[in-house]
Each structure stands twice: as C-alpha cells, then as structure tokens.
Amino acid sequence: MIAQRPPMGFNTWNCFCGDINENQIKEIADAMVSSGLLDLGYEYLVLDDHWMAPERDSEGRMYADPQKFPSGIESLIDYVHSKGLKFGLYSCAGMLTCGSRPGSFQHEFIDAQTFAKWGVDFLKYDNCQKPNGIEDHLLYRRMAMALRNCGREILFSACSWGEYGTHDWARNSGTNMWRSTGDIQDNWVSMRDIAMSQFAYSTHNAPFSYNDLDMLIVGLYGKTHIGLQGCTDEEYQTHFALWSLMTSPLMISCDIRNMNEVTKTILTNKELIDINQDIEGRQGYAWKISKDAEYYGIAKALSNGDYAFGLFNFTDNDCTITNSLNIKFWDIGLPLGCGYGFEMRDVINHKDVGLMKEFVTVNLKAHACAVFRGKLVKYE
Ligand code: GLA
C-alpha cells in the first residue's frame, strides 16, 4: 500500500531545473543515504521535467535523453533501487510538458506500462499544454486508471496547481497526492501564502491521498531559478513546521550533496517528521489567535491522543510581551477547570517544557514559530 503517510523524498526541479544527468542523480542517491535522509523516511528520488528525449521513439515510447543519461534510464533506476530508495519520473497531462518535452496525452496507457517495465515507483503528472475540449479532471482520471492497472505500484502525484477544483476531484480520482497551488517561490511571502491558502481545506487530507503544498524550499537561499530572494533560516524553519503540521508531502528540493548544518537540522527534525507522518493523516486546523495581528495557531490531532500545537507570527514585527502569542486549550476542546492539562514538549528545540493547564504562550520574532507536542494529563 503506497501513500498511507504523506510521501517524502527529493525532487530535482527547484535546484537543477532541466540541468540533470546520470552522475549527478547517482550522487544525490548516495547523499540521500549517507546524510541519513532515507532512514528518516525520505525515500523517493524524483526526476522532474527534461529527463526525456525531445521525441518519442519509433514505437511511440518515451525514452531518456541520451545526452543526459547515456547509460539509459533502467540502469539508473537499478542504481537508485540498489541504495534502498524508490525512483520517480515526471510527465504531463498535456501533449507536451511545461518544458516542451513529450507529454502523455493520448499515450497514458503505453506510458504507464513503460514506466512499470522500467521499475518506476512514482509519477509526477503536470498540467501544461492540454488539449481543448476535455475537462481537466478526466486527464488525471485517465492516468490514474492507467497507473492503477500497469502491474506495478506507482504513486500518482497530480500536479494540477489547485485548478479546476482540484480539491474536489483529486482524491476520489485515484491520485496519491495533489498540488493545490501554483509553484512555490523561494521567498517568505510565496511560502506563507501557500500555507494560508490551504487553511480552508483542512478536511481534505487523509491516508492514500494528500494535499501537496509543493516542494520544500529549505536550503535554497535564493540561489536557484525559483527565486533570488531566498529565506532566512528562521523562515525555512517556519516553512518546515507548517508543512509538517499541515500534513503535506515532504519533498526536498535543495542540493542535498552540499547542505549546510542548519538546512540539515531543519530537514532531519524527527519530532516534526513524526507529527507529519502520523498514521491517521489528519491535517492540523488553523485559526487566528489574535484579533489585532496575523498570529495563527495550528493544532493537529495525533493517533495516540497527543496534540501538536504550532504558533505562528506571520507579521513583519517581533511580538512584544504585551501582545505575545497565546493558544487557549479551550479553542481545541479542553473545558476550563476540568483538571486536565498538557505536558508539553518543544519539538523544535527538543526539550520538555512542563505542564500547561489552560494555555501556552510564547514570544516570537517576525516570521518565527514555536511547535509543541502535548500529552493530555490529569493533574488533580
Ligand atoms: C510546473 C510544475 C513544477 C515543475 C515544472 C517543470 O511549473 O508545477 O513543479 O514540475 O512545471 O516544467
């Protein structure tokens, strides 16, 4: 069974754009193992656009660009599998991909069979260059049907950008994850706006089909084609906390061969990953915790009865003592004076912070967050 939990892995697009090749992908595979990412659950290594040759072969099949992959795709897939990883490819619901390579329209079944024969485990399916006259969701239903009958378990990652009511058809059309927004850019506003745009959809996430908030931008630092601004480390930490509490797939997109220590620390936070990967797959629900400022709380119910709580300062100002952020447990279902409280653990700084009876309060810098895991206990 695939995608019981939010899928985790690495995707080439944000870091490399179309500049991919077989030695580099092998190095990425090696780094996913040696850095400990695979052990934490980052298991899919996904090639995005531009992996395929510009034309199909004489039998109408896609094949890998021989300039980039001179040994052929199957030997690369064997290598990736030999490391204990799973392998993903990209195609598109239209006639061409967004990068003008062959798309899968009218080739859905032959492509699914080809991918299965090669040993592909994951397909990202994009939304460009579609024909007129066919409703979008039908193009995704076609590929879902083809993949579900190709003889191999292939995770279906729909990249439909939230268009045409993606939230309403993606899950029941057989996708395993579905992009609910346009492309993330490597800056604070893009990341924050994607998260906030999905607060209203917290009931759509569940095992086998997850709301994909797009790839993680942690560690890009404004050096790639998706944004020259970049984020601060604090903003990248907030980003990872949001994706974890909102139960998004976690697809790394920085060059993991040269991660700095902060990037590695953020991406390998096991306590946050455990919250993201909780088997019930519930998305945290969000609410505004101050009338006067863009301060938000997110609470996620976990399968063992614990709750994860996030507090977020989305404003451009540090918060002061007088307007500190405050989650009242009343708002998540704890009656006042009931004799229960939460034994809290700070899962970003990895320390226990003790019993909180009615609320938890923090002071946060601009764009910062705090995340706790709380265990309900009776204290009187
Ligand atoms: C679209 C997708 C991106 C990426 C590119 C590739 O923009 O949303 O994630 O796959 O296409 O061309």
Side-chain angles (χ1 to χ4, degrees), residues 13 48-49 90 98-99 124 126 159 161 179 183 214-215:
W13 182 251
D48 207 282
D49 207 349
Y90 161 102
C98 300
K124 174 173 171 180
D126 214 343
C159 181
W161 309 332
R179 276 273 300 282
D183 290 10
D214 205 357
M215 291 164 264

Side-chain angles (χ1 to χ4, degrees), residues 334-346:
L334 191 70
L336 289 175
C338 66
Y340 286 91
F342 284 98
E343 235 3 292
M344 304 285 271
R345 179 167 170 80
D346 175 337

Side-chain angles (χ1 to χ4, degrees), residues 132-152:
N132 292 325
I134 298 190
E135 290 172 79
D136 275 76
H137 64 271
L138 289 178
L139 297 176
Y140 285 89
R141 283 186 185 161
R142 283 184 179 199
M143 188 48 103
M145 185 185 288
L147 290 175
R148 295 167 77 79
N149 292 281
C150 70
R152 185 177 174 86

Side-chain angles (χ1 to χ4, degrees), residues 201-212:
Y201 296 104
S202 68
T203 58
H204 289 61
N205 255 331
F208 305 115
S209 192
Y210 288 97
N211 183 346
D212 175 10

